[in-house]
Amino acid sequence: MSVASFLRKWRLIHEIADDAETARQLRALFWSRYRYPGSALIRRVIPSGEGLVHLRLRLRGAVRPVELILRSTDVGDIASLFENVVESDVRSLFQSAPRFVVDAGAHIGVFSLIVSAYFPEARILAIEPNRANIEILERNFSANQVHGDIQPVALWNENTPVGFSGGQSNAGRIQPDEREEQVQARTLSSILGDSISEVDFLKLDIEGAELAVLPDVLPQLPQTACIYVELHDAACHSQLFHEICRRAGWCGQQLYQYPPHEMWLLKHSAGATHC
């Protein structure tokens, strides 16, 4: 990261803080995230503490603030905060107000909360299999009065119990041969039924399962929908990813890179471009 980019991020966290305590916590979490020289000293001066942190964020152009609860020492929670608020602009993914957004791999709900802050009338379905994440996700939905629901399952290409490896909180993934922990997996069509035809926007951050899920969901989604997908281990899976999209009539635009992963926005070749 360049010095200019670093300073831009530093200024931004002060712009989005709605109060002095949030600004203090964001400074501590910032240094935890980016670990620049001197960060250890600054973390001692402004420690983030233990347990849960409640941040009140004021996003430019949002209808209402975001009340975000996260675990102060959880690397995944901190990464999700900065990836969705500082490193990318969630609002830029939408060219018009969505009516129905599905957040698959919702983690603690940062993406869902931002969408709800900009588009409070949008219905949001959050899908998340990690039990520890679900507890925080539910609190975040309640604190922000999100119009929507939470499905405590893993998104997959069939309805079945599957092995699940928790790992880092934002990196849990389906392990079909793993028997240490079992979670229920479901297809998107079984969760939504006929409502799958109403999906405007699907976010897929499902830690490698996107290659199994996309062939199932692409033919079923309306051609006017948009899909925001994280392609994991892109160097290994890029060819298969593009082949899956091509066969179903979808094409993609790469938005960001988080090596070894890439973020793509998919649209149907015959669909409207109103995302």
Side-chain angles (χ1 to χ4, degrees):
M1 186 197 316
S2 68
V3 172
S5 176
F6 177 79
L7 292 175
R8 182 189 65 80
K9 289 177 170 60
W10 179 253
R11 287 193 296 268
L12 182 57
I13 68 168
H14 290 86
E15 291 176 10
I16 65 177
D18 198 55
D19 53 67
E21 177 58 20
T22 291
R24 186 189 76 83
Q25 293 286 1
L26 280 174
R27 286 194 293 271
L29 295 171
F30 182 94
W31 290 106
S32 252
R33 166 70 172 166
Y34 296 106
R35 299 184 182 280
Y36 262 61
S39 62
L41 172 62
I42 290 180
R43 284 201 300 277
R44 287 198 294 271
V45 175
I46 48 172
S48 61
E50 300 291 337
L52 298 180
V53 171
H54 187 165
L55 303 175
R56 185 178 173 89
L57 307 178
R58 183 181 63 249
L59 305 179
R60 183 176 300 173
V63 176
R64 62 190 185 195
V66 171
E67 306 282 348
L68 176 62
I69 299 166
L70 56 78
R71 294 160 291 200
S72 64
T73 56
D74 188 287
V75 174
D77 288 9
I78 297 169
S80 182
L81 165 65
F82 285 101
E83 286 171 5
N84 285 283
V85 176
V86 174
E87 295 172 6
S88 62
D89 181 5
V90 168
R91 181 176 49 167
S92 69
L93 299 172
F94 301 89
Q95 294 179 8
S96 61
R99 295 163 299 172
F100 187 16
V101 175
V102 177
D103 182 0
H107 188 232
I108 61 170
V110 179
F111 181 87
S112 289
L113 300 189
I114 295 172
V115 172
S116 182
Y118 284 119
F119 310 108
E121 300 302 317
R123 175 188 168 198
I124 299 176
L125 173 67
I127 301 173
E128 172 59 42
N130 185 308
R131 294 182 182 91
N133 290 344
I134 291 167
E135 181 180 346
I136 309 299
L137 176 60
E138 290 173 340
R139 294 184 62 169
N140 278 324
F141 262 50
S142 176
N144 290 271
Q145 298 182 320
V146 174
H147 172 46
D149 304 290
I150 297 169
Q151 278 283 336
V153 299
L155 190 63
W156 192 233
N157 57 7
E158 59 179 321
N159 299 324
T160 181
V162 294
F164 182 77
S165 173
Q168 189 171 301
S169 71
N170 64 337
R173 61 176 57 203
I174 289 176
Q175 300 283 3
D177 298 325
E178 178 64 55
R179 297 304 173 191
E180 292 184 5
E181 180 183 358
Q182 292 277 296
V183 299
Q184 180 61 43
R186 294 184 64 185
T187 64
L188 189 60
S189 60
S190 73
I191 295 171
L192 295 179
D194 292 340
S195 295
I196 196 169
S197 65
E198 301 171 8
V199 174
D200 295 304
F201 193 95
L202 169 63
K203 189 210 87 178
L204 280 180
D205 185 2
I206 49 179
E207 304 304 316
E210 64 274 3
L211 296 176
V213 168
L214 281 170
D216 180 60
V217 302
L218 289 178
Q220 301 181 66
L221 289 173
Q223 294 182 355
T224 53
C226 293
I227 306 172
Y228 181 50
V229 56
E230 182 170 14
L231 176 61
H232 292 79
D233 301 319
C236 299
H237 299 141
S238 180
Q239 184 175 349
L240 176 57
F241 170 69
H242 290 294
E243 181 63 18
I244 289 170
C245 295
R246 185 192 65 79
R247 288 180 180 177
W250 292 72
C251 53
Q253 173 190 2
Q254 186 189 115
L255 300 181
Y256 311 107
Q257 288 184 315
Y258 298 110
H261 314 315
E262 298 173 351
M263 302 302 300
W264 287 79
L265 187 66
L266 305 180
K267 300 178 183 180
H268 196 279
S269 56
T273 58
H274 69 286
C275 300

